[in-house]
Amino acid sequence: MPPRRLTNADLVAELAAKGVETSDEWIVERTGIRARHFAAEGVYSSDLGLEAARSALQAAGRKPQDIDLIIVATSTPDMVFPSTACILQNKLGANGCAAFDVQAVCSGFVYALAVADSMIQTGAAKCALVVGAEVFSRILDFNDRTTCVLFGDGAGAVVLEASETPGILASDLHADGKHVGILCVPGHVSGGAILGDPLLKMDGQAVFKLAVGLLESAAKATLAKAGLTESDIDWLVPHQANIRIMQSTARKLKLSMDKVVVTVAQHGNTSAASIPLALDTAVRSGQVKTGETLLLEGVGGGFTWGALLLVL
Ligand code: ACO
């Protein structure tokens, strides 16, 4: 995460100066968020992704030259094009390998992992770097208290390698474009100008209602594909949007909250970066251990949703 950390109190004070009223109590009670990090001016998704990538490569004992595929999940790319993956590749010094972005908003990391897994399974790649990186602070409307308190910036990454023993057991991806309007950034670039609103719009209640049902169905479909059940899950690592969505999903899957990795309090909703941030915290703290079965799941704009089951 970028160094600039704003607690709820910090954000409340900044918003109050603009005449936008909110409170620590409201944010904590409705979302579970206590702090978020915002990138400094001039810091892009590729910069945050670069730090995460270096850290993941070090943990995996691999060098940039070992990587033959880079996938970056982001909805806040550095440029319209080329992809953030290409920019990150050059900063990392992994030039020459395949590199592209996946745009599935908050489901992006699950989508990107599933794509990397498929490419490894077909032999198209042997060693993939999968990154979730976002600077959501750039697309927030700080006059809209219903959204600006929810999101933050960050990045996370994993290295996936071909192996005789599969780490990823199954995945299940979906989208339904009829829900485009409930969570979107409707603006676009045309003729040298931004047309439409370039800031995030969300119907929070509609998102909430859809999210819980879709996460349950993706989780169950993924488990069924692997021939496993809810009781085989050691850890649920959900997209960190909101503690109440995570609690509802855990209830539907009959999982105790003790089995859910929750880091949203410390970074807010970082979209495609939230699952790898949660995973990183859980792995490095020793909460989650090698050999355990993890269910990752995400939901986001599109509407997109998906789940992925893996043995660490
Ligand atoms: N501070 C204080 N009051 C607020 C704030 C705020 N930041 N935001 C809204 N309110 C007020 C509203 O104006 C409303 O006031 P009113 O009753 O006087 O009209 C009241 O709080 C309740 O508003 P609701 O929208 O009904 O609040 P709700 O309980 O639904 O919580 C929330 C809102 C947190 C956004 C919730 O709907 C939610 O969690 N939705 C899911 C959003 C989400 O997680 N999106 C991301 C998932 S997908 C992705 O990650 C991109």
Side-chain angles (χ1 to χ4, degrees), residues 101-121:
D101 287 359
V102 160
Q103 219 289 34
V105 201
C106 304
S107 312
F109 191 74
V110 171
Y111 264 67
L113 267 189
V115 171
D117 176 47
S118 301
M119 289 181 71
I120 286 176
Q121 285 196 41

Side-chain angles (χ1 to χ4, degrees), residues 21-22 26 30-31 106 145-146 149-150 183 202 204-205 207-208 239 241-242 244-245 269 299-300:
E21 214 182 296
T22 183
W26 192 95
R30 307 284 174 132
T31 72
C106 304
R145 68 177 183 172
T146 67
V149 300
L150 305 176
L183 180 51
M202 180 172 74
Q205 288 191 2
V207 168
F208 196 106
H239 167 46
N242 182 310
R244 292 187 300 148
I245 294 181
N269 184 346
V299 61

